[in-house]
Amino acid sequence: MVILTLVLGVFLLVSDFIRSETQIDGVFERNSYGKGGRTEEINVEIQGKEEKIPVEVEIAERQYSPEEVRKMFGRIIRKMEGMILGENVSLDRIEYNMNLLTQIPDEPVEVTWELDRYDVMNIRGELQPDFLNEEGTLVTLNAVLTYSENEEEQALFQCTAQVFPKMPDDETKTKNQIEDAIRKREEESRTSTDLKLPEKISNKDASYYRKMDSRGLVLIMMSVLMGVLLYALEIQNQRKEQENRKQQMILDYPEIVNKMTLFLGAGMTAKRAWRKIAEDYSRQKELWGERYAYEEMKVSCREMDSGIAESESYENFGRRCDVQMYIKFGALLSQNLRKGTKGMTQLLKIESVQAFEERKARAKRLGEEAGTKLLLPMFLMLAVVLVIVIVPAFLSVQI
């Protein structure tokens, strides 16, 4: 890849050098209208001068000749009626807003409009429904087309539009007829105890039904939403419980390691020390409450009683705790059990010291987090104090 890039760079450098040393005919093609001008950088060599002089040439886009302008105006005027109709079909019946362009697309022509009835239609072609009538209103539109590059070049376009109010569709007509019939029947029967809806509307039989109440659908959607929210809440509670379990086990770790170190230093075997810690927890469980790490130690004792190897029980203990320090603790006991207990007391002492140091650092971090959480209540108390102080002072000034 590096060699290919190097070869390509050399090729382009040589190509550009040859191109810069090749004399050009001094002819540049202009951009057509709408593409804008451009700048060309060239080097000019003057007879008698040794060095070439760099020059930037500004090339404006092409402009139309007077003859081309007249042809352009004619072409636009022929298409003008179709461009301004908008959603309407013909100028003989205008029911929707017209599209009175101020700029012709893809042409250097600006358009200004004049109307003789601004009460019926504004300069943007928007109809004014309040002033329309069923007979229709004639509106004369005059448009002045101006060539953007030369404002003296202009052309005039004129047309007449018959403007009508928008006709309602079949569904709207039917709805209006129904509403009118029901309203008329209601007015006629105001002295009666009941309102009997008309049996025929526009000489057609009419049937009536209660509108469906969507409360069942609302309840279904609410139940689905509640189910999703309860499921999300359950997942959140599980994660919170797992996090609390992990935090509790981390707090208990230094104490467990310290007890193991003391019992092993007193001459107990690892299995006996393990069982001793679990039994002490069982006797004081009502006082301590449930401690997850000790419960897992009790499970390991039952595994040993059921015939599972001691080393495997320690490793299973670490996996069940699913906390890195307990996994390390279980692996340490298992490895030293296979290799012999020589030196294990010293390793546990080192582990105990490190665990207590981590616990102190964690306690410090939790204290800082607690201080941060107290900021909001402190601000609220400050606001209350300010209100208590400022409001009486303000009231005394008013008096």
Side-chain angles (χ1 to χ4, degrees):
M1 182 65 70
V2 174
I3 295 175
L4 179 62
T5 305
L6 180 61
V7 172
L8 180 61
V10 172
F11 173 77
L12 293 176
L13 180 63
V14 173
S15 175
D16 292 339
F17 177 76
I18 295 174
R19 186 177 174 218
S20 66
E21 293 297 321
T22 303
Q23 184 176 349
I24 60 178
D25 56 5
V27 178
F28 295 97
E29 183 179 359
R30 293 182 182 275
N31 293 336
S32 59
Y33 174 78
K35 296 185 177 180
R38 72 178 191 276
T39 302
E40 292 284 349
E41 296 182 354
I42 61 173
N43 292 325
V44 181
E45 184 179 32
I46 302 297
Q47 185 177 4
K49 299 289 185 179
E50 295 182 359
E51 296 182 357
K52 298 176 183 177
I53 302 172
V55 176
E56 290 185 355
V57 181
E58 299 287 343
I59 305 174
E61 63 186 25
R62 183 175 176 270
Q63 296 184 5
Y64 291 135
S65 65
E67 181 63 25
E68 290 175 328
V69 171
R70 286 191 292 274
K71 290 181 179 180
M72 177 184 62
F73 281 148
R75 181 173 66 251
I76 293 173
I77 289 173
R78 287 191 296 271
K79 299 187 298 182
M80 196 70 174
E81 181 176 332
M83 289 190 292
I84 66 175
L85 280 176
E87 299 181 18
N88 300 285
V89 179
S90 169
L91 290 174
D92 295 331
R93 188 171 188 88
I94 300 296
E95 296 181 353
Y96 303 94
N97 294 337
M98 298 184 69
N99 183 23
L100 301 186
L101 303 170
T102 58
Q103 179 75 38
I104 303 299
D106 301 324
E107 299 286 0
V109 175
E110 297 176 355
V111 185
T112 55
W113 293 90
E114 291 184 2
L115 286 69
D116 66 338
R117 293 293 300 273
Y118 289 102
D119 58 332
V120 176
M121 181 189 304
N122 63 24
I123 200 69
R124 294 186 295 273
E126 298 171 347
L127 303 184
Q128 310 299 313
D130 296 339
F131 298 93
L132 302 180
N133 55 67
E134 298 292 339
E135 292 77 18
T137 304
L138 284 175
V139 180
T140 302
L141 299 91
N142 296 307
V144 178
L145 311 180
T146 305
Y147 179 42
S148 301
E149 303 298 331
N150 185 359
E151 295 184 355
E152 295 181 357
E153 298 283 352
Q154 293 182 336
L156 178 65
F157 168 77
Q158 187 179 65
C159 65
T160 302
Q162 186 82 357
V163 181
F164 294 87
K166 182 180 177 182
M167 295 295 293
D169 53 24
D170 293 339
E171 183 177 352
T172 305
K173 287 181 180 179
T174 304
K175 182 178 179 181
N176 292 337
Q177 291 173 356
I178 294 172
E179 291 176 348
D180 291 340
I182 293 176
R183 188 185 307 109
K184 183 177 180 181
R185 176 61 61 87
E186 194 277 333
E187 292 175 353
E188 293 174 351
S189 62
R190 286 182 179 176
T191 57
S192 304
T193 56
D194 298 323
L195 168 63
K196 183 175 177 57
L197 299 179
E199 298 177 355
K200 289 182 176 293
I201 297 177
S202 299
N203 297 324
K204 295 181 180 179
D205 294 337
S207 302
Y208 302 95
Y209 303 89
R210 293 280 184 185
K211 185 176 180 181
M212 179 180 174
D213 197 330
S214 59
R215 56 188 177 182
L217 179 61
V218 173
L219 288 176
I220 292 173
M221 295 177 64
M222 289 179 62
S223 63
V224 172
L225 180 61
M226 288 174 61
V228 173
L229 293 176
L230 288 174
Y231 178 71
L233 179 62
E234 181 65 22
I235 293 177
Q236 184 179 3
N237 290 337
Q238 290 178 1
R239 290 179 179 175
K240 187 175 181 180
E241 184 178 353
Q242 291 175 358
E243 183 64 22
N244 293 336
R245 176 179 180 272
K246 180 179 179 181
Q247 298 302 327
Q248 186 194 87
M249 296 178 79
I250 291 174
L251 290 174
D252 290 339
Y253 180 70
E255 184 178 354
I256 293 174
V257 175
N258 189 46
K259 288 181 179 179
M260 283 292 295
T261 304
L262 291 175
F263 290 149
L264 291 176
M268 288 186 181
T269 62
K271 183 176 182 180
R272 181 72 188 107
W274 189 274
R275 192 177 296 276
K276 173 67 174 172
I277 295 173
E279 291 173 352
D280 290 344
Y281 163 73
S282 297
R283 287 193 298 269
Q284 300 180 4
K285 183 177 179 180
E286 294 184 1
L287 179 63
W288 289 4
E290 185 178 11
R291 312 299 294 182
Y292 297 106
Y294 290 98
E295 291 292 338
E296 297 297 340
M297 293 182 72
K298 291 172 63 177
V299 173
S300 297
C301 291
R302 289 194 290 269
E303 286 183 349
M304 296 178 194
D305 294 339
S306 64
I308 297 177
E310 183 181 349
S311 59
E312 186 178 350
S313 297
Y314 295 145
E315 293 176 356
N316 292 340
F317 166 77
R319 284 193 291 269
R320 288 195 305 273
C321 292
D322 196 22
V323 180
Q324 185 61 36
M325 55 184 62
Y326 282 97
I327 296 174
K328 178 182 177 183
F329 181 50
L332 179 64
L333 294 175
S334 176
Q335 291 174 4
N336 281 274
L337 188 62
R338 294 191 183 100
K339 298 178 182 179
T341 57
K342 182 179 180 181
M344 187 167 66
T345 303
Q346 186 63 28
L347 290 174
L348 288 176
K349 286 182 179 179
I350 296 173
E351 183 68 18
S352 177
V353 172
Q354 292 179 349
F356 272 111
E357 290 297 326
E358 291 179 2
R359 181 170 181 175
K360 287 192 290 185
R362 181 174 182 77
K364 182 179 179 181
R365 187 167 60 253
L366 290 175
E368 293 173 351
E369 292 177 358
T372 303
K373 293 179 181 178
L374 288 173
L375 286 176
L376 179 59
M378 290 174 62
F379 280 119
L380 294 176
M381 291 176 64
L382 176 61
V384 172
V385 171
L386 289 175
V387 171
I388 293 173
V389 172
I390 294 175
V391 170
F394 179 77
L395 293 176
S396 64
V397 171
Q398 292 293 328
I399 294 173

